[in-house]
Amino acid sequence: MGRGGRVLLLAFVLFLTSHLTTPASAATKSCLLVLSDLTSWPALIAGVTNQYKQLYLFKEISAIGLQIDDSLFPALEQLPGVLAVIPDRLHKVQTTHSWEFLGLESGGEPKNEWKYDAKFGEGVVIGNVDTGVSPTSESFRDDGFGAPSGWCGKCDSGKDSTFRCNKKLIGARFFNAGVQVPDFLDQPVEGKQLNQTDLNSPRDYDGHGSHTLSTAGGGFVQGAGAFGRGSGTAKGGSPRARVASYKACYTAGCSSLDILAAIFAAVEDGVHVLSLSVGAPAADYAADLMAIGTLYAVHKGVAVVASAGNSGPQPGSVTNLAPWILTVGASTMDRDFAADAVFGNSTVKGRSLSASTLPAGQPYPMISGQDASAADQSIDNSTLCLPGSLDPAKVRGKIVVCTRGANGRVEKGLVVKQASGVGMVLCNGAGGAVDIIADPHLVPAAHCSYSQCEDLLKYLQSTEFPVGYITARDELGVKPAPVMADFSSRGPNTITPQILKPDVTAPGVDVIAAYSEEVPATDLPFDDRRVPYNMVSGTSMSCPHVAGIAGLIKAKHPDWSPAMIKSAIMTTASTGGNDDGQIRDETGAAATPFSYGSGHVNPVRALDPGLVYDTTPYDYANFLCSVRPTQTQSLIPLSIPLLLPLFVGANANPFRCSLGAYRPEDLNYPSISAACLSRSGTTTVKRRVRNVGAGPWLQYNVTVVQPAAGVRITVQPGTLSFGKINEEKEFTVKLEICDATAAAGYVFGSIEWSDGKHRVRSPVVATTKCG
């Protein structure tokens, strides 16, 4: 390891030891014990208790995963040589058209940048930490693949004798020690308990892992679709990449210790890109094992992409906040799964994933749930189409209009089907939820808004024999797009607001990709349908889109660092929609960088970004020093116990955390965020860019988009000249308060460097608010 790497990880040791506190409770739990010396740890712990279980040995960071009574955590912290005690916690797991929407193909044909420049990601290995993989999926066929070179991983089938890897799916492993700790076993999710078959196999018994891995690196599969809708050629962003699955997520969730073990295994195996569609809120990087593990991965040259979370649109809800992670929000595509209810001389427009099996244009009798109540049921129940509330004699052969609420949307269709109805119109209620969802209903259906349904309900009430029919179709070119998903978690960054999160947004709504046929198509107990491809929404779906793009960049630029890959994706992202307006949020208002970060990914431009912001181990080390609450140790000699054994025996100059010499906002990051600005002064942040474009002599000029009010942005110098490839130049961005009242809230601007061909854009976020 070079001195820069040793410095980075050394700084993280100090960061850990100065940040962590132990929770006060008493239960059998799991934790990560970071030690100065692994050789004598059993004797060390024996001084406190003999009642413990070793879960993992993490030589990479000189640590062990323990199952132990957490009332003993304070005693462990006092033992000599113990650097940190970090409690384990549960994380949650957060297509056929998306790549055309992203500009990699046109009319179903791949563009040259995808096919020839990036070679569809050939030569790259994408790892995925998730719920496992379905090895029989067509997306993971190895047609045309030779034996992999340089791969150190394995295919661990566990107790699953039928599980097989191949030359496309070259690795599969599973990690389950953490999730089986009693404290987690006592936390069933939606009534489900951990299943031993699931626990002891790399196979996907959820569907989530197969979906995300195929989105990132699945091969070409013609005729793929979901429930007969969205048919086309399914493929991942890097369809010629090889893939590896690291199962660390189960019904109860994902233990952070299991995730950490999976990350270290992926790095050791030789992945180039790691996709993590998992996350949980964190108050501190030092208490976040994903942050620790991904820092190690990035230091070893692995690009890490993670989901922003599904807790939007609440401000400050974004997760995976560490600056070495590429954090992805979710937005829509220009495709819609439309379904209309036609009656009288009117049509109400809705959405549904179910294909209508009713004869086209043939009218059927219609009835509202309100008028179809069974003898022993209230009108309130039948209006909602609750189980057992509909009278089959009234419903048989009819399309039933149900109101949303109380029970599940798809379950309402089951109620209609059980009462012998032939279709359903699902209406939002007055004052209730406003979104309309394309669900895989069990009967032909259309989910419509309350305002659309008002005309339908009036028709039912005013007509003696109401009739109608349901049509379904796929629509492309829908405007506006992209639109931020309401569930996509929002900034600001609650740990370090000087780092803008999320970093980018990507397609995460109604994404069709591979699924596991080991489980039903939906998470509903009454659904017995099995599908090879399914439509799912979430930042879990947007994350692997960006992982696939990272694979393309790695294939074209194999010597680029993770930070350079991340910069290329961020600085080439777009903030515009396909209607020539700005990206909107779920309300129709203009979205902000707290929703989309640097913008919506543009993979074609990311393959040739012109300039990149590279972030070195020294940059990250200084960043970690700058966010420490106290400066209890300003000099860290490399001979002290270290976070990683890679430090051991290193003879280099000590690294100094200098008080006040470095600020979090000075991290060489592709976006700029400054908080706690002086209400009457100026703040200057530093950046440097590296020329990765062609040509012996290039000149970039800057354009500044000023915030609407509050802060004025000045960039010096205004021109950067490069005489050779990989040359770096520095510049400063001055933020001057011109209206303290306006700057008390967050204000947004941007800077953009351009040589006439490349556009290298960075959002700027500023506020006088602290924290």
Side-chain angles (χ1 to χ4, degrees), residues 322 353 421 427:
L353 190 59
C427 293

Side-chain angles (χ1 to χ4, degrees), residues 65-87:
L66 286 181
Q67 176 181 321
I68 195 169
D69 193 316
D70 70 346
S71 65
L72 300 176
F73 284 5
L76 291 176
E77 288 180 324
Q78 300 305 312
L79 293 175
V82 173
L83 300 178
V85 179
I86 307 175

Side-chain angles (χ1 to χ4, degrees), residues 475-753:
E475 289 185 348
L476 297 178
V478 174
K479 295 182 180 182
V483 173
M484 294 307 303
D486 59 345
F487 58 76
S488 185
S489 291
R490 309 303 211 258
N493 185 327
T494 55
I495 299 179
T496 44
Q498 299 90 343
I499 302 297
L500 176 63
K501 290 288 179 172
D503 292 306
V504 291
T505 187
V509 178
D510 298 346
V511 177
I512 295 176
Y515 210 66
S516 174
E517 295 186 74
E518 300 293 333
V519 292
T522 67
D523 200 27
L524 300 171
F526 52 79
D527 193 351
D528 59 359
R529 295 173 294 177
R530 301 291 196 274
V531 293
Y533 290 83
N534 205 350
M535 188 186 79
V536 189
S537 297
T539 55
S540 284
M541 285 62 248
S542 57
C543 167
H545 275 90
V546 178
I549 295 168
L552 297 177
I553 298 173
K554 186 69 175 179
K556 184 179 180 182
H557 306 285
D559 58 339
W560 279 17
S561 70
M564 294 169 72
I565 293 172
K566 177 178 182 178
S567 174
I569 292 171
M570 290 175 62
T571 60
T572 57
S574 171
T575 60
N578 63 355
D579 60 347
D580 298 325
Q582 293 297 299
I583 295 176
R584 292 172 171 82
D585 65 19
E586 71 284 353
T587 69
T592 75
F594 285 153
S595 297
Y596 55 68
S598 293
H600 189 264
V601 290
N602 186 323
V604 172
R605 289 183 56 201
L607 289 167
D608 181 21
L611 303 176
V612 293
Y613 295 79
D614 198 5
T615 311
T616 68
Y618 281 96
D619 292 326
Y620 288 131
N622 278 314
F623 169 80
L624 290 171
C625 288
S626 72
V627 298
R628 289 175 55 229
T630 58
Q631 209 71 20
T632 57
Q633 185 177 358
S634 62
L635 188 66
I636 319 172
L638 285 174
S639 59
I640 68 168
L642 303 167
L643 181 57
L644 298 183
L646 295 170
F647 282 153
V648 175
N651 294 313
N653 295 326
F655 176 77
R656 185 180 299 274
C657 273
S658 301
L659 185 63
Y662 194 93
R663 303 167 302 165
E665 57 264 39
D666 285 328
L667 180 68
N668 197 44
Y669 208 68
S671 58
I672 298 170
S673 181
C676 210
L677 299 177
S678 170
R679 292 176 60 86
S680 59
T682 62
T683 296
T684 301
V685 299
K686 303 173 184 178
R687 289 293 187 271
R688 67 179 184 278
V689 287
R690 174 178 294 179
N691 173 35
V692 293
W697 186 265
L698 295 172
Q699 179 173 296
Y700 282 80
N701 298 309
V702 72
T703 300
V704 177
V705 175
Q706 299 290 348
V711 175
R712 180 170 180 79
I713 303 170
T714 306
V715 179
Q716 290 292 337
T719 299
L720 298 175
S721 298
F722 298 90
K724 57 184 179 181
I725 298 293
N726 287 323
E727 183 179 1
E728 286 192 309
K729 290 294 179 73
E730 295 183 347
F731 65 92
T732 61
V733 179
K734 184 172 72 173
L735 306 172
E736 181 181 5
I737 301 297
C738 55
D739 184 337
T741 301
Y746 286 96
V747 297
F748 307 98
S750 66
I751 66 170
E752 182 177 284
W753 295 99

Side-chain angles (χ1 to χ4, degrees), residues 396-429:
R396 183 172 289 106
K398 297 180 181 178
I399 296 172
V400 183
V401 179
C402 303
T403 299
R404 182 178 181 178
N407 57 336
R409 299 182 303 273
V410 176
E411 185 181 4
K412 294 177 187 293
L414 175 65
V415 173
V416 170
K417 183 177 182 179
Q418 291 174 335
S420 301
V422 298
M424 175 182 69
V425 179
L426 176 61
C427 293
N428 284 345

Side-chain angles (χ1 to χ4, degrees), residues 227 354-362 364 421-423 441-445 470-472:
F227 304 98
S354 63
S356 180
T357 56
L358 302 178
Q362 178 178 326
Y364 281 80
V422 298
H441 291 284
L442 296 165
V443 294
I470 294 171
T471 62

Side-chain angles (χ1 to χ4, degrees), residues 183-235:
D183 185 57
F184 292 155
L185 288 174
D186 294 336
Q187 301 180 37
V189 177
E190 297 177 355
K192 299 178 182 178
Q193 298 289 343
L194 285 170
N195 180 288
Q196 288 301 313
T197 302
D198 187 14
L199 280 171
N200 293 290
S201 167
R203 193 180 300 271
D204 184 7
Y205 288 93
D206 180 274
H208 192 273
S210 301
H211 197 282
T212 53
L213 185 56
S214 66
T215 300
F220 293 97
V221 180
Q222 295 182 344
F227 304 98
R229 307 289 297 279
S231 295
T233 299
K235 83 285 286 184

